[in-house]
Amino acid sequence: MADDKSKEVKGLSEIRTLNAGHEGPVRGVRFNCDGNYCITCGSDKTLRLCNPHKGTLLKTYMGHGYEVLDAVAAYENDKIASCGADKMVILWDVSTGKSIRKFRGHQSRVNCVKANQPDFSVLISGSYDATIRCWDTRSRSQDPLQTLDEAKDSVSSVQVFEHSLLSGSVDGFVREYDMRLGKMTEDCMGDPVTNVSFTNDGQCILSASLNSTVHLIDRFSGELLNSFKGHQNSKYKIDCCLSHDDKYVICGSEEGSIYIWDLIEANVVQKIENGHSSVVYSLSVHPNKMCVLSAGSEAVKLWDNKDEYKDLLQTSNLQ
């Protein structure tokens, strides 16, 4: 059965290496909401907007004092939010390249940032200071709307789904907050949690830990549904994510490979060996197709099925 499944998946191939122009490692890469553009986060203190399908750099955003660690684009593509080691969350105007707001309040580096979509009215940031802070983008107040301090160690990852906020922490816990009811539930994973996400249908949670294991958990019962292994992840924060249709789990690895598992069978359907020269820090999946961006210490790369990608270019404005 595993062999049949392996034959069914259309393997990803490298389409191009994206020249974003960063000096040094790229800490994060994120598709925008329609998948036509991407944001790259650099250790050189810059944030860059690119067209990954053409391989072109569109704009550079400068304002962070230290390395940029994460970013998220607004649904309308008019704003970007970023966070970094300078303890700040910055809201940017996409067209002008200027910062609109700088949110200060975290006591240490800000590891991750997400936003409610589609209105982008609230930003959610997770920090090494073990707090999650919610920021009102429409208010002039410098104070967060809410501070969540249940974590006992660095908050490594946050995710938003409807009215729920999901977080992963180095204290080994995955926590979900129902923001309407003011309710919090938590699951102990036993090892530092480095990345969390909801499945696209909102029924399950994907959680990566520093024991080289990715877990699939039933969101409502807390039952462990599956475990995904084979990659190396014991030292660094590495992204894991789901394909747009929830069929596959995708994760980077510390030796430079990218692993793709079947969600149900938990077998490896593709291993992209030496996709990067060292740690694959970040991954982002296209919202509508099996197309992946990866960021490592030396480059950002675009992965897709080559035949399907040729068809996409012929029928779109990406060529």
Side-chain angles (χ1 to χ4, degrees):
M1 188 170 183
D3 290 341
D4 292 340
K5 208 68 174 178
S6 298
K7 293 175 183 178
E8 289 174 13
V9 66
K10 294 181 179 180
L12 296 180
S13 300
E14 182 179 341
I15 301 299
R16 66 166 42 86
T17 296
L18 180 63
N19 181 20
H22 287 289
E23 297 178 5
V26 180
R27 297 302 185 189
V29 61
R30 300 287 179 251
F31 270 116
N32 72 329
C33 290
D34 60 22
N36 289 332
Y37 303 98
C38 72
I39 313 160
T40 61
C41 308
S43 59
D44 59 1
K45 311 176 189 178
T46 68
L47 187 72
R48 304 191 183 219
L49 179 68
C50 303
N51 183 326
H53 308 288
K54 291 183 177 180
T56 53
L57 171 65
L58 302 175
K59 192 171 284 290
T60 300
Y61 304 83
M62 301 177 68
H64 278 286
Y66 292 95
E67 61 181 352
V68 186
L69 298 174
D70 198 9
V72 59
Y75 184 80
E76 299 294 335
N77 295 322
D78 58 339
K79 297 181 182 67
I80 293 171
S82 62
C83 65
D86 56 5
K87 310 177 188 178
M88 285 196 299
V89 176
I90 301 180
L91 181 66
W92 306 88
D93 181 278
V94 168
S95 59
T96 66
K98 295 181 179 179
S99 62
I100 302 170
R101 297 277 305 281
K102 293 184 178 180
F103 300 95
R104 297 179 175 90
H106 282 294
Q107 301 303 305
S108 190
R109 59 185 284 160
V110 185
N111 297 316
C112 47
V113 63
K114 291 294 183 288
N116 66 326
Q117 301 283 13
D119 65 3
F120 218 68
S121 60
V122 179
L123 301 179
I124 300 98
S125 57
S127 171
Y128 190 82
D129 67 11
T131 70
I132 299 167
R133 300 185 188 227
C134 304
W135 310 93
D136 187 347
T137 63
R138 298 175 179 177
S139 167
R140 302 308 301 178
S141 172
Q142 292 297 312
D143 297 324
L145 286 169
Q146 191 170 7
T147 299
L148 305 171
D149 58 2
E150 285 77 14
K152 302 300 186 291
D153 207 330
S154 176
V155 177
S156 57
S157 180
V158 292
Q159 192 60 258
V160 180
F161 183 82
E162 296 178 345
H163 298 283
S164 292
L165 168 61
L166 186 68
S167 73
S169 173
V170 176
D171 65 8
F173 281 85
V174 172
R175 295 178 175 88
E176 182 177 351
Y177 300 85
D178 188 315
M179 305 307 285
R180 287 180 301 177
L181 302 177
K183 179 184 177 182
M184 189 271 289
T185 57
E186 60 184 16
D187 292 291
C188 180
M189 307 308 298
D191 291 279
V193 177
T194 58
N195 193 265
V196 292
S197 60
F198 290 106
T199 52
N200 294 292
D201 62 9
Q203 298 299 304
C204 300
I205 291 170
L206 199 66
S207 169
S209 299
L210 286 183
N211 61 354
S212 300
T213 306
V214 178
H215 295 294
L216 182 68
I217 308 162
D218 185 283
R219 181 182 170 193
F220 304 103
S221 70
E223 178 186 358
L224 177 62
L225 302 176
N226 239 332
S227 295
F228 308 88
K229 299 182 178 182
H231 64 300
Q232 297 177 19
N233 187 196
S234 60
K235 298 178 181 178
Y236 299 97
K237 180 184 184 302
I238 290 178
D239 281 347
C240 69
C241 52
L242 289 132
S243 59
H244 68 289
D245 53 9
D246 281 344
K247 288 184 178 180
Y248 305 108
V249 174
I250 307 164
C251 189
S253 185
E254 290 173 356
E255 93 286 0
S257 299
I258 299 170
Y259 284 73
I260 304 173
W261 296 269
D262 179 88
L263 181 75
I264 304 300
E265 301 296 330
N267 60 298
V268 177
V269 294
Q270 185 179 7
K271 176 186 176 184
I272 304 173
E273 293 194 60
N274 303 315
H276 287 269
S277 60
S278 59
V279 183
V280 182
Y281 293 111
S282 185
L283 294 170
S284 185
V285 174
H286 192 283
N288 302 314
K289 65 189 299 289
M290 191 62 172
C291 176
V292 178
L293 283 166
S294 62
S297 59
E298 84 294 2
V300 174
K301 295 186 178 184
L302 177 69
W303 307 86
D304 203 330
N305 177 273
K306 287 189 174 180
D307 293 334
E308 290 184 357
Y309 197 75
K310 289 178 183 177
D311 294 339
L312 173 67
L313 291 177
Q314 291 172 0
T315 58
S316 72
N317 62 355
L318 298 178
Q319 195 168 21

